[in-house]
Amino acid sequence: MNVLIWHVHGSWLTAFVQGPHTCLVPVLPGRGPDGLGRARTWDWPASVREVAPGELRGHDIDVMVLQRPHELGLAEEWSGRRPGRDVPAVYVEHNSPHGTPEGTRHPLADRDDIPIVHVTHFNRLMWDNGRAPTAVIEHGVIDPGALWTGAEPRAAVVVNEPLRRGRTTGTDLLERFAGTAALDVFGMGTEGLAAHLGLPRDRCRTRDLPQAELHRAMARCRLYLHPVRWTSLGLSLLEAMFLGMPVVALATTEVVEAVPPGAGVVSNRLDVLEEAVRGFLKDEEHARRTGERARAAARARYGVNRFLDDWEHLMRDEVTR
């Protein structure tokens, strides 16, 4: 099939494009948010083709995979076809609702011709989906391998724009955790984080690395710390588990589903989490065994083949409906 899909979330799309279909990815001069084109930091197959908006009217499109509300308008304007009416379409909801669960109505809640595909069961539960059909297709992760060494007695944290996102991503908690373990914080927009938190730079090192380098740098840390209060299930958490890292995480959103007992410590009690961090720093063998269980759990539930099979069934159902 020919699938129209925008480059919005690079890690998620990297798994999606491993499937058997041709992905038509819009590209604009300057490669802004509505036209990023092919990824430059991920390895995508040749079946991912960049298309300029003016070229879309001449392309066969079997299904549209939308990820942001305004893409409905862009898809119609650029292709000349209405999503869900002239061409089958699905809408991927990557995020937890920003407002309260009882008051957040999904932008597609009044339509019944475009299914909303949530990436976690928690998200589907919290959004008011109205009369829109819904499904859940959990994340798929390309296995980076069991790279964990735990050689450095530090905690890895992965978060983009921690200064802007603040309490949402638990940035305010990092100062407290830095008193228990030195932190390596990876991600975009992390510059100046140590100064913002009032921490010495050796207690809070920050780096923005390409994915291949990121995985190896994470895996040198003894454990993965996930202090996120309210976002969708972070792919970085699952990637850490695939690497074989023990996990210490807040018991929020979908984390309690993703990290089973024995694969790490999940709690909303900060003293419990701090004690878990100290335990992994002190006992490297304990960290190794826990990380092995985390890796086994992640491979069993979040493998890329299961993800691609789920998407294959859903898209074919929509095309033939």
Side-chain angles (χ1 to χ4, degrees):
M1 293 188 288
N2 288 334
V3 181
L4 174 63
I5 186 166
W6 271 262
H7 177 183
V8 177
H9 295 284
S11 293
W12 181 88
L13 191 54
T14 296
F16 184 89
V17 300
Q18 304 304 314
H21 307 298
T22 298
C23 291
L24 306 175
V25 179
V27 63
L28 289 169
R31 297 180 179 268
D34 290 332
L36 283 173
R38 285 179 58 93
R40 298 182 178 184
T41 57
W42 285 277
D43 185 17
W44 286 3
S47 56
V48 181
R49 299 181 184 175
E50 293 184 343
V51 289
E55 299 172 342
L56 273 175
R57 289 177 181 263
H59 275 282
D60 291 331
I61 300 173
D62 296 297
V63 62
M64 298 177 176
V65 178
L66 310 171
Q67 302 167 78
R68 299 168 296 177
H70 73 278
E71 289 179 8
L72 281 83
L74 288 180
E76 181 175 353
E77 178 186 351
W78 291 357
S79 75
R81 284 155 281 185
R82 297 170 298 173
R85 295 172 183 170
D86 302 323
V87 178
V90 299
Y91 185 99
V92 183
E93 182 50 72
H94 292 283
N95 300 314
S96 302
H98 294 300
T100 57
E102 71 275 12
T104 307
R105 191 163 174 83
H106 197 276
L108 271 69
D110 294 324
R111 299 187 62 155
D112 61 5
D113 56 344
I114 300 180
I116 303 170
V117 183
H118 293 279
V119 298
T120 71
H121 293 275
F122 179 89
N123 287 2
R124 177 162 69 172
L125 177 67
M126 292 301 161
W127 278 103
D128 176 358
N129 298 296
R131 63 192 184 101
T134 63
V136 176
I137 296 183
E138 296 185 320
H139 288 305
V141 176
I142 299 171
D143 190 351
L147 302 180
W148 180 83
T149 66
E152 296 191 39
R154 304 178 69 91
V157 181
V158 179
V159 58
N160 289 324
E161 300 186 76
L163 300 179
R164 178 182 66 81
R165 298 168 74 190
R167 286 177 56 83
T168 299
T169 53
T171 304
D172 58 301
L173 301 176
L174 295 180
E175 180 181 0
R176 175 166 177 168
F177 280 113
T180 305
L183 307 178
D184 278 1
V185 183
F186 302 97
M188 296 182 292
T190 55
E191 302 86 356
L193 178 61
H196 173 79
L197 296 173
L199 295 171
R201 296 187 68 175
D202 66 319
R203 297 300 293 180
C204 183
R205 301 190 306 205
T206 59
R207 282 176 286 177
D208 182 8
L209 300 174
Q211 191 178 45
E213 294 179 36
L214 169 65
H215 286 159
R216 294 196 177 277
M218 289 171 60
R220 287 195 292 271
C221 295
R222 185 67 51 83
L223 67 129
Y224 183 78
L225 175 64
H226 193 68
V228 174
R229 282 190 178 91
W230 188 260
T231 70
S232 192
L233 181 63
L235 276 166
S236 58
L237 170 66
L238 301 180
E239 290 169 357
M241 294 172 68
F242 269 90
L243 291 169
M245 301 185 73
V247 170
V248 175
L250 293 183
T252 55
T253 64
E254 191 85 352
V255 172
V256 293
E257 290 278 343
V259 185
V265 177
V266 177
S267 176
N268 288 325
R269 290 183 51 180
L270 296 181
D271 58 330
V272 170
L273 299 181
E274 289 174 312
E275 184 59 32
V277 170
R278 282 191 287 268
F280 289 132
L281 293 179
K282 182 179 179 180
D283 189 342
E284 189 172 347
E285 179 61 19
H286 170 49
R288 182 190 64 78
R289 292 194 304 269
T290 304
E292 288 175 349
R293 290 190 289 267
R295 175 170 164 76
R299 294 183 71 196
R301 182 163 182 171
Y302 297 104
V304 71
N305 289 334
R306 188 275 310 154
F307 172 81
L308 293 172
D309 285 346
D310 288 351
W311 270 105
E312 180 75 9
H313 293 144
L314 184 138
M315 289 194 296
R316 293 219 174 264
D317 285 349
E318 288 304 308
V319 168
T320 59
R321 184 162 60 92

